[in-house]
Structures are given as structure tokens and as C-alpha cells.
Amino acid sequence: MEIDSCTLKAVSSSPSEKIHLRPMTLSDIDDFMVWATDINVTRFCTWEPCTSREAGIAYINSFVLPHPWLRAICLDDDRAIGSISVTPVDSIRGEIGYVIGSKYWGKGIATEAVRLVAAEIFKEKPEMERLEALVDVDNIGSQKVLEKVGFVREGVMRKFMCLKGNVRDMVMFSFLPSDSLL
Amino acid sequence: MEMDSNETQPKVVVSSPARRISLRQMTLSDVDHYMVWATDAKVAQFCSWEPCTSREEAITYITDSVLTHPWLRAICLEDDRPIGYILIMAVDDIRKEIGYVLARKYWGKGFATEAVRLVTAEIFKEMPEIERLEALVDVDNMGSQRVLEKVGFTREGVMRNLIIMKGSVRDMVMFSFLPSDPLK
């Protein structure tokens, strides 16, 4: 895998899909709308589906562009089919999050994107001691992604956070700089 | 048992059924008892703070951090002498974290367990918005893990490299108690 400062490339485990990561821009708005309006995609996200192109543009401007570390997940044609981000929790912890358009589920794409980030993020952020992920207990697909990459399932945190008005149990996963990628 | 936080006098407000300990507001007049545990490096070992080195420092700390704390209670013996304290911190709108410290002379007698049980029994009535009471304990702090297990907290797992404590990155055990959980 070659890495430059902005683009991470890899061949995903599924033969037909090659993905790379790059910064998102406003010109990704129409591709963004494909996953952001999809209620299946947003089911375990804290946010509601996007309702208009204007709202999508506002979201990209206010949240995506200023984000400290967020990348579009792209196929060969450089079109964004989802995004992945690492958000600081504090000075030593970062939380990974990712979203993929439902048409692309089940192909190993999220797994490859998470693997790419877990492989590189500690070099980019040497102060990070822990990369963690919080996944809804019912979101089995996302739990499998993290397990396939090599994240450690630390336990179920009961009544941990409010998701769309409901208090949810969340599974906590972590990956350390010393851990091995699977 | 009522929990009353608006009195100027530190009256005894909560007693354990065995009448061994009670909880009340701390005051500046507790400073000498405070010094007993606050200067002890063994007590401070798993705390974020360094041992206290002077009475002036203790007075400043009590004034700035203890008296201003949104929910902190002295753990007192029958003669109203504080032997430690227990506190509740807000993590967010639905989660609170419990913490406690006890002078070393009183370790191993079940006092911390009683104090945690007392608070856990009452806190959800006092704060009905809480969905989850949690505690984070250093992996090496076996005594404190035992306290929570004896009260009936659920040990959810070890969170690796979770916090920096006195310059070292530590693994912490996460415990929780929900309003629906049974006290042991």
C-alpha cells in the first residue's frame, strides 16, 4: 500500500472493489446525498436523513469540511460512496466512525476503509494511544467490520448513549498502536 | 433516607442501616481529617491528584474544589469524623460517574462498600434523569473493583489505554449500575 499525505489506497478483500480515501469537498454533494438521505444508512447514526440538497451543502460546510480528520471512501472512479472519520475524544483517544451507501454494503468496503485508517492513523497522530469505536448492540454488520480488522471487543456499555430519543446499549471496541491488524 | 443539599449546617442526612457510617456535606472545619487521607501517597496512588503537602494547600483545595463540587459527601464515622469522601460527577445528560476515597486506616472494613451502596440506593431518586451510574477503576486497583462488585455493579470490560494517570497510560475497568439493577 502506498500512502501520501492525503490519499490512502488499497485493494479491498473483495476482488471487484478497489477503494481509496481522500478529503471530501463540496463537489461531492450529489454523491453525499445518495447515502445521507438513505434511512437504512442513518439507522444507527445520531443524525436524521438529509432532506434537501441545501441541507446537505450546509452539513458539508459546517461539519465535514472543518472536521479534523474525515475522508471520502472512493472507488476507482474517485466518486465518494461513503465517508470515514477519526474524531478526537481527548488528547490520547480518537473515535472512528464510518458510513457507506447501502448499495455497497456486504463487499468488504467498510472493512478495508477501517483497515486503511487503523494502519496509518497512529503515524499521522503519534500522540494517539487508543482508537476506539462505539457500535449499537443491534448493529451487527458494523461490529463484524471492526472484528475483521482486529479491533478488540471490550464489552457492552449499558444505557450508554441517546440515539434518536432512545437510550442504547453500545459495544465498545478499541485498537492500539501495538495491536496487530488482521 | 433523604438527601438534602441546601442546608448551611452539615447535618447528618444519610445513615447506613448498620449505623456504621453516614454521609454529609464537607466543611472547612474537616481540614485536619481531610489531611489524613489527602497526604497519603498510598491513598493517592490511583487518584488523579498528588498527595497534599501542607495545611494551606488543603484549605485551598477544599475551598476551590470540594465545597464547590456539585455533589460531594464526607463519609463519617459515628462521631461525625470524616474518614473519606464520595462524589458524583456528571459525564453527560444521562450518565454520572461515582468516585470515592477513604483513609488507609479504614480500608478493608467495608466502609467504602457501605458508602457506595448508600449513594447508589438513593441517587436515582435524587437525579431521575440518570440512566446510568458508572465507575472507572484502574486495572491494578483490586480493592476498589471489589467494592463495586459487592454493591452489585456490572463489570462491563477493560478499556485499554483509556486515560493518562500521572504520566502513564492506564487500562481502566468500566463498571455500571442502572436504575433497574438490584443492589446486593
Side-chain angles (χ1 to χ4, degrees):
Chain A
M1 284 184 279
E2 359 153 355
I3 306 99
D4 63 32
S5 58
C6 287
T7 306
L8 300 179
K9 293 175 191 265
V11 180
S12 87
S13 46
S14 183
S16 57
E17 312 292 351
K18 226 196 293 201
I19 64 150
H20 61 275
L21 308 181
R22 59 150 175 84
M24 257 180 81
T25 71
L26 268 171
S27 49
D28 290 317
I29 176 65
D30 294 313
D31 292 321
F32 169 81
M33 291 296 284
V34 170
W35 76 77
T37 54
D38 184 344
I39 199 146
N40 295 308
V41 170
T42 65
R43 179 177 167 203
F44 294 113
C45 299
T46 50
W47 39 275
E48 295 290 349
C50 192
T51 52
S52 72
R53 203 171 185 269
E54 289 67 40
I57 288 169
Y59 182 83
I60 292 178
N61 274 322
S62 63
F63 180 79
V64 172
L65 298 184
H67 195 284
W69 205 100
L70 187 151
R71 301 287 182 268
I73 300 170
C74 299
L75 297 178
D76 258 357
D77 58 3
D78 203 48
R79 302 257 315 254
I81 56 158
S83 68
I84 187 164
S85 60
V86 178
T87 306
V89 176
D90 61 28
S91 56
I92 61 167
R93 288 162 65 186
E95 181 179 349
I96 191 166
Y98 41 91
V99 62
I100 315 273
S102 54
K103 177 172 153 184
Y104 299 98
W105 288 4
K107 299 174 190 297
I109 289 173
T111 304
E112 198 50 44
V114 170
R115 188 179 285 121
L116 270 173
V117 172
E120 294 311 310
I121 199 71
F122 299 108
K123 295 172 206 167
E124 236 181 274
K125 295 173 186 282
E127 72 284 2
M128 196 182 295
E129 301 281 355
R130 171 187 173 89
L131 182 62
E132 63 189 42
L134 273 170
V135 186
D136 194 286
V137 274
D138 290 344
N139 191 352
I140 308 294
S142 191
Q143 294 170 39
K144 289 207 175 116
V145 166
L146 297 161
E147 281 157 9
K148 285 197 293 181
V149 175
F151 277 65
V152 172
R153 184 190 176 101
E154 292 173 335
V156 175
M157 313 276 134
R158 305 175 304 153
K159 297 277 186 281
F160 204 63
M161 59 177 260
C162 232
L163 188 81
K164 291 167 171 150
N166 296 312
V167 186
R168 303 293 302 163
D169 294 351
M170 306 289 285
V171 189
M172 176 68 88
F173 288 85
S174 71
F175 193 86
L176 307 187
S178 50
D179 285 346
S180 305
L181 282 170
L182 292 181
Chain B
M1 288 183 277
E2 327 145 29
M3 307 276 262
D4 181 338
S5 51
N6 291 322
E7 300 293 317
T8 49
Q9 296 293 328
K11 60 180 208 200
V12 173
V13 290
V14 184
S15 298
S16 58
R19 295 205 167 291
R20 291 201 318 161
I21 60 151
S22 58
L23 306 180
R24 61 156 172 82
Q25 305 263 22
M26 264 185 74
T27 71
L28 264 176
S29 52
D30 293 323
V31 61
D32 294 312
H33 295 300
Y34 170 85
M35 294 276 291
V36 170
W37 71 77
T39 55
D40 188 338
K42 277 240 72 157
V43 170
Q45 182 185 2
F46 296 114
C47 299
S48 55
W49 39 270
E50 294 292 345
C52 183
T53 55
S54 74
R55 202 169 187 273
E56 290 65 42
E57 191 188 321
I59 288 170
T60 302
Y61 187 80
I62 293 174
T63 306
D64 295 350
S65 304
V66 172
L67 299 183
T68 56
H69 197 283
W71 205 101
L72 186 151
R73 300 289 183 268
I75 301 169
C76 295
L77 295 180
E78 271 170 24
D79 54 2
D80 200 47
R81 177 162 40 108
I83 58 167
Y85 62 73
I86 186 163
L87 50 75
I88 300 284
M89 296 163 279
V91 179
D92 61 25
D93 292 341
I94 61 167
R95 287 162 61 193
K96 302 274 185 190
E97 182 179 345
I98 192 167
Y100 41 92
V101 65
L102 213 57
R104 188 155 39 121
K105 177 173 161 186
Y106 299 100
W107 289 6
K109 301 175 194 299
F111 288 126
T113 306
E114 268 185 60
V116 172
R117 191 180 286 118
L118 262 176
V119 172
T120 306
E122 294 308 309
I123 201 67
F124 298 107
K125 295 171 207 167
E126 190 177 317
M127 304 182 184
E129 72 283 4
I130 307 179
E131 300 280 352
R132 170 188 172 90
L133 182 63
E134 63 189 41
L136 275 170
V137 187
D138 194 287
V139 276
D140 291 343
N141 191 350
M142 307 303 296
S144 193
Q145 293 172 38
R146 279 292 295 146
V147 166
L148 296 161
E149 282 158 9
K150 286 197 296 182
V151 174
F153 276 66
T154 296
R155 184 192 177 100
E156 290 174 336
V158 175
M159 296 174 62
R160 307 174 305 151
N161 281 16
L162 193 75
I163 70 169
I164 295 190
M165 181 73 84
K166 291 165 176 159
S168 300
V169 184
R170 302 296 301 165
D171 295 350
M172 305 290 282
V173 189
M174 174 70 92
F175 288 85
S176 72
F177 196 96
L178 307 186
S180 50
D181 287 344
L183 271 174
K184 290 209 296 204

